[in-house]
């Protein structure tokens, strides 16, 4: 359900002065890496053997059920920091095995209560992990979806297969919106592969805008790179200064958050911020007019809850994983979720 907030919400974030009590709607757009949301059955042609009951992780019904319950808890709470009854209109997902896992996920009570549905196309990843998107039909009207394959630019690696780029078109608040959900090549690959992903996604984004200049585009996902890395800052063209973002570029609000010392995953005790949602300039109030007659970016956040973190041991303070070192922790993910908020005046 769409949630409405009085102008007082905007006083809190922008100190807006008004002579009348205008009303605004706030919408959440999220992303969350599910960290190996596998079902317990083998998918033919996929290397999913460690996530079977007989596999290295002993992935049985109990563990799968708990994983679904844990992820549903987080997903249902994302966006609620702007209001107890608020939830995200759309949430991009990475590391989901298949439509069966997604069907089981949205059947969990917190997500079923909201009415979330999912958009998904089976991809070519060798392990079988895909990108997907949850959406609340009361807030996001789905039009079309397609999967753009990751194209290997190096002839020597022509057999390389990884996740594609899931393009989901629809509308929020009556305005055309597209989400491009990504899971770029891992850091075990060289930076070239992620830079190639940035170039390819930029081509997709530019092609959409040439056909529909008014369409508002989010590129979201686990980029396996930080905001200032070349794949994001140069190849995709995602920049940190809202007022200086040029047409043809994108705005990346996470750059300064990482600089402030926090992120979405930890490696050797240091934060990275691989999980990002960046947006086209037509979502920005670059001139500071604050009229919000159209859907406009308001703020962003790393979604934080105490239960998402390890509370003891060597990895205290790290996101609490499902499994680590072969030990089942009954946790959530090695990544934290992210959310951006949009605002639009009610007419």
């Amino acid at each position: 359900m769409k949630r409405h907030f009085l102008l007082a919400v905007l006083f809190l974030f922008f100190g807006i002065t008004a002579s009348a009590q205008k009303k605004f709607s706030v919408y959440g757009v999220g992303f969350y890496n599910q960290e190996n949301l596998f079902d317990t059955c083998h998918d033919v042609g996929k290397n999913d053997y460690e996530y079977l009951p007989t596999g290295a992780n002993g992935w049985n019904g109990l563990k799968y059920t708990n994983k679904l319950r844990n992820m549903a808890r987080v997903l249902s709470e994302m966006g609620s920091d702007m209001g107890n009854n608020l939830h995200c209109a759309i949430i991009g997902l990475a590391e989901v095995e298949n439509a069966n896992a997604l069907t089981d996920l949205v059947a969990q009570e917190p997500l079923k209560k909201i009415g979330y549905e999912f958009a998904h196309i089976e991809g070519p990843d060798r392990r079988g992990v895909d990108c997907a998107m949850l959406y609340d039909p009361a807030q996001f009207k789905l039009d079309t979806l397609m999967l753009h394959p990751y194209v290997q630019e190096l002839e020597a690696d022509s057999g390389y297969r990884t996740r594609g780029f899931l393009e989901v078109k629809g509308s929020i608040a009556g305005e055309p919106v597209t989400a491009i959900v990504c899971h770029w090549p891992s850091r075990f690959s060289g930076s070239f592969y992620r830079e190639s992903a940035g170039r390819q996604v930029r081509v997709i984004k530019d092609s959409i805008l040439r056909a529909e200049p008014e369409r508002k585009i989010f590129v979201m996902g686990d980029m396996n790179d930080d905001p200032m890395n070349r794949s994001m800052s140069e190849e995709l063209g995602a920049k940190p200064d809202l007022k200086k973002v040029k047409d043809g570029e994108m705005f990346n609000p996470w750059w300064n958050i990482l600089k402030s010392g926090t992120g979405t995953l930890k490696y050797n005790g240091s934060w990275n911020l691989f999980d990002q949602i960046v947006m086209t300039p037509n979502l920005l109030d670059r001139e500071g007019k604050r009229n919000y007659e159209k859907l406009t970016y308001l703020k962003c956040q790393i979604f934080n809850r105490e239960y998402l973190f390890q509370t003891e041991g060597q990895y205290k303070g790290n996101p609490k994983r499902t499994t680590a070192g072969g030990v089942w922790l009954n946790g959530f993910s090695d990544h934290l979720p992210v959310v951006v908020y949009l605002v639009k005046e009610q007419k």
Side-chain angles (χ1 to χ4, degrees):
M1 178 182 294
K2 187 164 60 178
R3 309 296 178 182
H4 304 304
F5 296 81
L6 295 178
L7 193 61
V9 171
L10 299 181
F11 278 116
L12 179 62
F13 293 105
F14 291 108
I16 295 173
T17 304
S19 57
Q21 284 287 301
K22 295 183 179 180
K23 290 185 178 182
F24 297 84
S25 295
V26 176
Y27 304 86
V29 172
F31 174 80
Y32 191 20
N33 183 319
Q34 302 291 279
E35 194 198 15
N36 297 316
L37 179 54
F38 282 82
D39 63 18
T40 61
C41 302
H42 174 56
D43 280 6
V44 176
K46 303 295 185 180
N47 184 15
D48 59 359
Y49 296 104
E50 64 179 315
Y51 282 93
L52 297 176
T54 56
N57 290 310
W59 197 244
N60 56 28
L62 172 65
K63 294 177 180 179
Y64 178 51
T65 299
N66 277 273
K67 175 72 171 180
L68 291 168
R69 184 182 300 120
N70 289 349
M71 305 319 290
R73 177 184 181 184
V74 184
L75 292 163
S76 67
E77 293 180 9
M78 289 171 63
S80 62
D81 287 348
M82 286 289 284
N84 290 334
N85 294 318
L86 183 69
H87 54 265
C88 287
I90 59 175
I91 306 175
L93 306 178
E95 295 198 18
V96 177
E97 184 183 18
N98 51 33
N100 181 54
L102 286 162
T103 299
D104 291 342
L105 180 64
V106 298
Q108 299 300 301
E109 192 55 41
L111 301 182
K112 183 179 179 181
K113 182 178 179 181
I114 293 169
Y116 274 125
E117 299 179 13
F118 66 85
H120 167 259
I121 296 175
E122 187 71 25
D125 185 84
R126 294 183 186 279
R127 290 182 62 236
V129 291
D130 295 330
C131 294
M133 194 183 84
L134 300 187
Y135 64 95
D136 172 12
Q139 299 186 73
F140 177 82
K141 306 302 181 185
L142 176 66
D143 292 331
T144 63
L145 65 153
M146 66 180 299
L147 184 67
H148 299 269
Y150 177 98
V151 179
Q152 179 49 255
E153 295 179 348
L154 296 178
E155 186 176 347
D157 284 343
S158 58
Y160 183 89
R161 291 188 298 171
T162 190
R163 285 83 52 177
F165 316 113
L166 182 66
E167 175 193 318
V168 186
K169 283 188 174 183
S171 60
I172 295 176
E175 298 186 30
V177 169
T178 291
I180 304 173
V181 189
C182 306
H183 187 186
W184 290 0
S186 77
R187 290 231 153 177
F188 292 107
S189 306
S191 60
F192 170 85
Y193 296 92
R194 293 182 299 283
E195 290 167 13
S196 176
R199 288 191 288 272
Q200 293 179 48
V201 173
R202 189 169 191 168
V203 168
I204 295 167
K205 181 262 298 182
D206 289 346
S207 176
I208 294 169
L209 288 179
R210 278 195 299 271
E212 300 177 85
E214 297 302 314
R215 184 165 288 275
K216 297 180 174 183
I217 301 177
F218 298 94
V219 174
M220 61 174 70
D222 174 1
M223 309 307 188
N224 274 306
D225 263 339
D226 287 320
M228 58 284 300
N229 291 139
R230 182 177 177 85
S231 63
M232 291 296 298
S233 62
E234 298 301 323
E235 302 300 348
L236 183 59
K239 306 297 184 179
D241 191 329
L242 183 149
K243 293 182 179 180
K244 295 182 180 179
V245 175
K246 301 174 183 176
D247 293 340
E249 297 178 336
M250 304 193 82
F251 172 56
N252 191 339
W254 309 99
W255 191 304
N256 292 321
I257 290 180
L258 181 59
K259 280 189 172 182
S260 73
T262 188
T264 57
L265 72 159
K266 269 189 174 181
Y267 182 71
N268 288 338
S270 297
W271 284 107
N272 290 100
L273 211 162
F274 292 172
D275 307 271
Q276 301 166 55
I277 304 171
V278 303
M279 64 205 76
T280 45
N282 54 8
L283 278 152
L284 305 177
D285 180 20
R286 286 184 285 184
E287 298 177 2
K289 292 181 178 179
R290 300 178 181 177
N291 55 28
Y292 308 112
E293 292 179 353
K294 294 186 177 181
L295 206 58
T296 304
Y297 167 73
L298 181 63
K299 62 171 288 191
C300 70
Q301 71 167 170
I302 297 172
F303 182 77
N304 245 316
R305 293 292 186 271
E306 288 186 7
Y307 65 74
L308 291 173
F309 293 89
Q310 286 281 117
T311 57
E312 57 186 10
Q314 179 182 357
Y315 298 106
K316 181 179 180 180
N318 284 30
K320 186 177 182 180
R321 305 185 61 168
T322 302
T323 302
V327 177
W328 182 51
L329 302 178
N330 193 22
F332 298 84
S333 173
D334 54 346
H335 294 244
L336 296 175
V338 291
V339 181
V340 301
Y341 294 98
L342 314 174
V343 63
K344 184 175 181 178
E345 181 183 349
Q346 297 177 31
K347 296 296 185 180

